[in-house]
Amino acid sequence: MSKLVSWQELPCGAIITDTKRVLENKTGAWRSFRPVWNKEKCINCLTCWIYCPDAAIILKDGKHQGINYEYCKGCGICAEVCPKKVQAITMVKEEK
Amino acid sequence: MIVAKTGNEAMAYAMKQCRPDVVAAYPITPSTEIVQIFSSFVADGLVDTEYVPVESEHSAMSACIGAAASGARAMTATASQGLALMHEMLFIAAGLRLPIVMCVASRSLSSPLNIHCDHSDSVASRDSGWIQIFCESSQEGYDSVIQAVKIAERAYLPVIVAIDGFILSHCMERLEILSDEEVSDFLGEFKPNYSLLDTKNPITVGPACLPDSYFEHKRAEAEGIRQAKGIIEEVIEEYRKRFHRYYPVIDEYQAEDAEVVVLAMGSTVGTAKIAVDELRAQGKKVGALKLRFFRPLFSEKLVASLRKFKVVGILDRAEAMNSYISPLATEIRAALYHQTEKPLIVSYVYGLGGREITQEDIKVVFEELIHIKETQKVKDEVSYIGVR
């Protein structure tokens, strides 16, 4: 979380010029279910990457590398769109 | 140049001379002609504007917001239900600090359905963060649109310029217009601080703001409209120097030695001035005040002006539905609260849904105000002029 500032220090109209700042806003704590990715089952179709409403599917050289839990909100879309014959992603209850 | 134009024609012509990059609009009585005439300017190639014919006023304001966020000079026009349908987007335009200018031909709100003049539409947008200018004449409407563009772009706030529906919008007046070059020179090019289209410097517009910072943004926005007062006075002064036409934020008419005055916004001020002339001829010390800006409310100037009178009748062309008194009167009483010497404030609602108000009606108000001055007693908290 970035430093909180007073009203005098804010940009006019809440315009954000430092667009990388959104990375500081970790939203993974919202999750109540976590997707668990099975590397052995994954066929690398990247449907989950396309459908993820955030950018929580980690991709490297066009290959699925796992899930970024700092931003994943546990919506379950990735598990839902993972092909029925593959089922490489399962949702498990988040436990403290 | 001197021409004959209706209020709507005057507003459309002023818009053309301001050379907006984008106009997005949906027609609604009595402001239809403004966008109709403007779209013909676009079709005839007289202005290089992207005209967006949208399917609703909500979309009109949304398109103006998108255009202004990308650094364009954006304008629209509406009235009544159209302004009400924009309500959600009005707050977004102001919160994003976008300098959009909107012409409004003031009209009542349904229900019951009525297309005629009152100020309910703009007054209902009071807390949206828009600057609001109420014009006495079409000439003032024309000049105010040009001033509004400069005020908006300096203050980074959206501005409503309101002319009274039908009374001004459809009534032909003698109008002094400036040349295109004079308007261009006065306004200059709009150079926005940021633009969505500037891909080398990407920005986020309209981010989510949680409880830890939303309050600070609103505090800053409130300061923005407060600070706009100085900008407004600078622009009015620049306009006076350049074009010799002067519209002060509070216009005092025969008020120097007056004991009893009426205060109003819009075309009724002209009617009140005639009533004042007639009563002055009878030796009565009466005057009229025109409030040009409903937002920002020039409360310090109002207090300085009003302190010297004994009784002030506030003429409101809108009803606040059982607020203690009518909308404008509420604000003016609040502004005067801390003064030890202050006039009695009498609240009048008039002219809803286009009900005529004549100088005779205003003379009756003056008689009541003079009686109140003598007795120091205000009988009714709100009086209604000309209602059966």
Side-chain angles (χ1 to χ4, degrees):
Chain A
M1 188 59 85
S2 55
K3 187 178 141 288
L4 294 175
V5 298
S6 72
W7 66 266
Q8 292 97 335
E9 300 166 82
L10 287 168
C12 183
I15 300 290
I16 298 174
T17 49
D18 177 9
T19 45
K20 288 204 173 72
R21 263 185 57 187
V22 72
L23 295 172
E24 295 169 24
N25 194 19
K26 305 270 161 73
T27 49
W30 300 6
R31 203 169 49 236
S32 56
F33 281 86
R34 73 162 55 211
V36 176
W37 173 65
N38 186 327
K39 190 179 176 181
E40 307 307 318
K41 287 188 181 174
C42 182
I43 59 166
N44 212 44
C45 67
L46 301 186
T47 311
C48 58
W49 175 78
I50 292 166
Y51 276 87
C52 176
D54 207 297
I57 308 294
I58 305 165
L59 215 59
K60 201 181 167 196
D61 300 328
K63 292 272 161 60
H64 200 311
Q65 297 290 318
I67 289 150
N68 185 342
Y69 292 114
E70 285 189 337
Y71 302 108
C72 170
K73 296 162 196 71
C75 71
I77 288 174
C78 54
E80 187 66 29
V81 298
C82 187
K84 285 285 167 284
K85 285 182 184 167
V86 178
Q87 292 188 19
I89 301 172
T90 45
M91 298 301 290
V92 300
K93 198 158 172 40
E94 189 74 67
E95 286 181 48
K96 289 264 148 85
Chain B
M1 189 168 52
I2 294 165
V3 294
K5 281 192 191 300
T6 66
N8 279 342
E9 288 169 352
M11 299 294 257
Y13 199 80
M15 281 170 73
K16 182 188 95 139
Q17 292 188 309
C18 294
R19 298 191 296 116
D21 300 297
V22 174
V23 167
Y26 189 87
I28 181 166
T29 303
S31 69
T32 301
E33 283 175 337
I34 301 176
V35 290
Q36 187 183 325
I37 295 164
F38 189 84
S39 67
S40 73
F41 291 149
V42 177
D44 294 344
L46 297 174
V47 63
D48 186 24
T49 300
E50 186 70 30
Y51 184 81
V52 191
V54 285
E55 91 298 353
S56 78
E57 287 85 352
H58 189 279
S59 303
M61 187 44 62
S62 302
C64 284
I65 288 168
S70 62
R73 184 175 280 169
M75 299 177 92
T76 187
T78 195
S80 183
Q81 309 302 125
L83 188 56
L85 187 53
M86 285 179 183
H87 194 69
E88 177 193 3
M89 303 314 290
L90 295 181
F91 287 74
I92 295 174
L96 294 176
R97 305 290 301 270
L98 297 174
I100 299 163
V101 171
M102 169 157 60
C103 301
V104 171
S106 301
R107 168 187 153 185
S108 61
L109 287 169
S110 285
S111 188
L113 176 65
N114 177 290
I115 59 167
H116 293 278
C117 174
D118 69 37
H119 295 162
S120 307
D121 49 6
S122 300
V123 168
S125 314
R126 186 188 64 182
D127 301 333
S128 62
W130 281 61
I131 290 171
Q132 294 194 15
I133 311 177
F134 282 81
C135 304
E136 183 186 336
S137 62
S138 296
Q139 179 74 61
E140 189 179 342
Y142 168 84
D143 292 319
S144 295
V145 169
I146 298 163
Q147 292 182 359
V149 170
K150 193 153 199 172
I151 291 166
E153 290 172 7
R154 275 202 194 162
Y156 268 89
L157 280 170
V159 184
I160 284 172
V161 182
I163 53 168
D164 284 352
F166 290 108
I167 299 165
L168 296 179
S169 70
H170 286 63
C171 181
M172 197 160 281
E173 254 185 54
R174 174 193 183 276
L175 202 71
E176 288 180 34
I177 55 170
L178 305 170
S179 70
D180 292 356
E181 292 72 32
E182 282 175 310
V183 177
S184 287
D185 285 353
F186 179 71
L187 293 180
E189 288 294 317
F190 175 41
K191 292 198 185 76
N193 289 340
Y194 306 107
S195 166
L196 272 176
L197 300 180
D198 181 3
T199 49
K200 289 203 180 95
N201 299 295
I203 53 168
T204 299
V205 175
C209 228
L210 297 178
D212 63 15
S213 51
Y214 177 86
F215 198 173
E216 280 70 26
H217 279 288
K218 284 290 148 184
R219 173 70 186 85
E221 188 187 334
E223 194 63 21
I225 196 158
R226 236 170 247 146
Q227 296 298 330
K229 288 185 203 174
I231 294 168
I232 287 166
E233 295 202 273
E234 279 168 27
V235 171
I236 290 171
E237 188 57 22
E238 280 175 41
Y239 201 86
R240 184 186 68 81
K241 278 197 186 131
R242 218 183 253 238
F243 306 124
H244 314 292
R245 283 207 287 274
Y246 180 51
Y247 306 98
V249 294
I250 299 162
D251 189 6
E252 297 194 351
Y253 185 76
Q254 298 274 30
E256 196 53 40
D257 62 337
E259 295 177 329
V260 168
V261 297
V262 294
L263 181 147
M265 300 192 296
S267 63
T268 305
V269 179
T271 316
K273 285 173 178 172
I274 296 168
V276 166
D277 288 343
E278 290 177 14
L279 292 175
R280 279 271 167 183
Q282 297 167 23
K284 300 204 166 112
K285 286 186 175 175
V286 296
L289 297 180
K290 174 170 86 176
L291 184 64
R292 195 168 164 232
F293 286 82
F294 185 49
R295 280 291 182 275
L297 191 73
F298 283 78
S299 43
E300 301 87 353
K301 279 191 181 290
L302 270 169
V303 168
S305 171
L306 294 176
R307 280 179 62 179
K308 55 185 179 279
F309 309 117
K310 300 273 191 291
V311 184
V312 180
I314 314 285
L315 309 187
D316 254 303
R317 203 161 197 156
E319 168 58 272
M321 296 300 165
N322 200 24
S323 167
Y324 189 60
I325 47 177
S326 57
L328 187 55
T330 302
E331 308 228 349
I332 289 171
R333 261 205 195 169
L336 286 163
Y337 181 76
H338 289 297
Q339 304 300 316
T340 43
E341 277 181 49
K342 56 191 167 223
L344 287 172
I345 298 292
V346 192
S347 168
Y348 289 92
V349 174
Y350 76 96
L352 299 189
R355 176 65 52 87
E356 293 265 358
I357 181 151
T358 64
Q359 61 261 45
E360 294 308 316
D361 294 324
I362 294 174
K363 278 157 80 179
V364 171
V365 169
F366 272 122
E367 275 167 32
E368 278 181 27
L369 297 176
I370 290 165
H371 181 69
I372 288 166
K373 188 198 83 182
E374 283 157 4
T375 59
Q376 289 294 301
K377 279 203 181 80
V378 181
K379 206 172 90 213
D380 298 311
E381 282 300 350
V382 184
S383 300
Y384 294 83
I385 304 172
V387 79
R388 290 184 300 279

